[in-house]
Amino acid sequence: MLRLLFFALASLLFVNSQAQTKNEFYELRIYRYESQEQKAAILRYAEEALLPALHRLKIRNIGVLEPSPTDTISPPAIYFILPVNSVQSAAEISVRLEKDAVYQTAAAFFINVPFDKPPFTRLETVWMKSFKLAPPLQTPVFSTERQSRIYELRNYESATVDRYKSKVHMFNEGGEIELFKELNFNAAFYGEVITGSRMPNFYYLTCFENFASREAHWKAFFSHPKWKEMLAKDMYKNNVSKAGIHLLRPAACSDW
């Protein structure tokens, strides 16, 4: 009896261990635009067609992020962040939307348009898997108005696969994720790019109540002894060749 109880407990611990290390996947859609009319069309498409359809597919906690006025450098784009169970489930979304008559009607103004009046300039799709030591998607909760919030999307590229692995290790085992948590950066996700442009690279998103809070958090980070200790290690030298920084805010239709 005790032996059976032991094996049952061991099996339960193994299953729990497997669950804790299971990856979460994210689809990042980047709609680039050139005019305010295009921006308005993308946001209308999100609110009236895409998000309701995705919610019907039981996909929740979808982020829809638009440029913050504090970002005067990044090319204008609307970012969609979809947490999914697998890359396969993400790939099936478009097929399921094709069969959704309600979606097709609601999205007609966005899909069935003249060639010389496109509602966006380009669409980029990136698929990611979560860092092994990162928690599942954490949706930020703030009391400040959406317009004043800063959701900072960063993309780190590396010159080689070896240097990429070094930077990912820096976040996981090296303690960068823990330091962000300690300093209350409200990180929503950390995702390794498994298919997309400019590989090898990864994305992560930190969230702040406002721009002043963002500045204060980064000041605390760069002066922290743990960061300086990480930065001094030879194993982490030259592991970022290019960093993309996008200051965003949640659109009115965003789930978070």
Side-chain angles (χ1 to χ4, degrees):
M1 182 68 180
L2 289 176
R3 180 176 295 180
L4 290 175
L5 182 61
F6 170 80
F7 281 115
L9 179 59
S11 298
L12 180 61
L13 290 174
F14 175 77
V15 170
N16 287 338
S17 175
Q18 291 294 97
Q20 291 172 0
T21 58
K22 183 179 179 181
N23 285 112
E24 186 173 48
F25 293 85
Y26 310 109
E27 179 181 347
L28 173 64
R29 297 186 185 183
I30 307 173
Y31 282 89
R32 306 196 184 279
Y33 63 89
E34 294 178 343
S35 68
Q36 290 303 305
E37 290 77 14
Q38 287 183 322
K39 178 183 179 182
I42 297 168
L43 292 176
R44 179 188 168 192
Y45 165 69
E47 181 175 7
E48 298 181 4
L50 183 60
L51 262 66
L54 294 176
H55 290 161
R56 288 194 294 273
L57 295 177
K58 309 302 181 184
I59 299 174
R60 309 294 182 185
N61 296 326
I62 302 164
V64 181
L65 311 181
E66 62 179 347
S68 165
T70 58
D71 190 337
T72 59
I73 300 176
S74 301
I78 305 295
Y79 296 80
F80 293 72
I81 300 167
L82 286 62
V84 293
N85 295 325
S86 66
V87 171
Q88 180 178 351
S89 64
E92 292 172 351
I93 290 175
S94 60
V95 176
R96 299 179 73 176
L97 291 180
E98 286 285 342
K99 300 177 181 179
D100 186 335
V102 176
Y103 165 80
Q104 292 295 326
T105 299
F109 79 94
F110 193 77
I111 300 173
N112 304 322
V113 294
F115 76 94
D116 56 348
K117 294 182 179 179
F120 59 92
T121 55
R122 287 292 91 186
L123 167 62
E124 179 182 350
T125 299
V126 180
W127 285 342
M128 298 174 281
K129 67 176 181 179
S130 60
F131 281 19
K132 65 180 179 180
L133 296 185
L137 179 72
Q138 305 290 296
T139 56
V141 178
F142 295 122
S143 59
T144 51
E145 294 184 355
R146 289 181 175 228
Q147 292 86 345
S148 64
R149 298 177 197 172
I150 297 293
Y151 289 2
E152 183 169 355
L153 182 66
R154 289 199 172 208
N155 170 239
Y156 290 166
E157 302 174 29
S158 300
T160 66
V161 172
D162 173 75
R163 291 296 81 202
Y164 171 76
K165 290 180 178 179
S166 164
K167 187 58 182 175
V168 173
H169 185 281
M170 192 175 187
F171 268 81
N172 285 301
E173 294 84 354
E176 201 164 347
I177 289 175
E178 283 301 314
L179 182 53
F180 278 129
K181 183 178 179 180
E182 178 184 331
L183 296 176
N184 298 315
F185 266 68
N186 296 296
F189 75 90
Y190 302 87
E192 292 192 64
V193 174
I194 53 181
T195 178
S197 61
R198 305 190 310 278
M199 295 177 71
N201 63 352
F202 64 81
Y203 285 86
Y204 70 96
L205 181 73
T206 52
C207 307
F208 310 97
E209 290 184 337
N210 49 45
F211 187 75
S213 174
R214 183 254 182 191
E215 296 293 280
H217 276 79
W218 280 113
K219 183 177 180 180
F221 178 86
F222 289 126
S223 63
H224 201 287
K226 291 182 180 179
W227 170 244
K228 293 181 179 180
E229 181 182 345
M230 278 185 267
L231 205 58
K233 292 183 178 181
D234 288 339
M235 65 185 296
Y236 296 141
K237 297 293 185 183
N238 303 311
N239 57 13
V240 175
S241 59
K242 183 178 180 181
I245 301 174
H246 310 285
L247 303 184
L248 309 166
R249 65 184 182 186
C253 61
S254 180
D255 286 342
W256 43 271

